[in-house]
Amino acid sequence: MSIEAIQAVAGSVSAPTAVPAQRLDGADFSGWLAQGLSNVDASLKTADESLRALAAGEASSPHEVMIAMEQARMNLMLMVEVRNRVVEAYQELARMQL
């Protein structure tokens, strides 16, 4: 192993650049949360519809149904974790003494 190879790789790696925080019109936390809730609701409805289609014999493959159900489950788990973090942050703020 040569040192030149390591230096060549290290020279090609650039430092991460700071991404400026962009605030879009109406893009606040409550808007982001509402959009997330609507996305979770839509994925749950899609999974439910595909499961009903599978039960009725209309679905094309059980694999697509399972993928839709897993996506809905992961979206729901993410939303529950966000809710838990928000509740923890609120409780931490409530415990602060002024």
Side-chain angles (χ1 to χ4, degrees), residues 72-89:
R73 186 181 75 85
M74 293 298 289
N75 287 339
L76 185 62
M77 287 176 54
L78 175 65
M79 190 54 64
V80 167
E81 190 61 34
V82 168
R83 182 212 48 159
N84 290 343
R85 297 291 174 109
V86 168
V87 168
E88 285 178 21

Side-chain angles (χ1 to χ4, degrees), residues 39-77:
N39 289 344
V40 169
D41 185 49
S43 68
L44 288 171
K45 286 180 181 178
T46 302
D48 186 50
E49 289 171 2
S50 62
L51 186 61
R52 288 179 190 269
L54 180 68
E58 300 168 355
S60 59
S61 77
H63 302 293
E64 292 175 6
V65 174
M66 289 303 296
I67 290 171
M69 289 176 60
E70 188 63 23
Q71 285 176 342
R73 186 181 75 85
M74 293 298 289
N75 287 339
L76 185 62
M77 287 176 54

Side-chain angles (χ1 to χ4, degrees), residues 15-30:
T17 58
V19 178
Q22 296 178 348
R23 184 176 173 105
L24 302 174
D25 293 334
D28 54 354
F29 183 73
S30 63

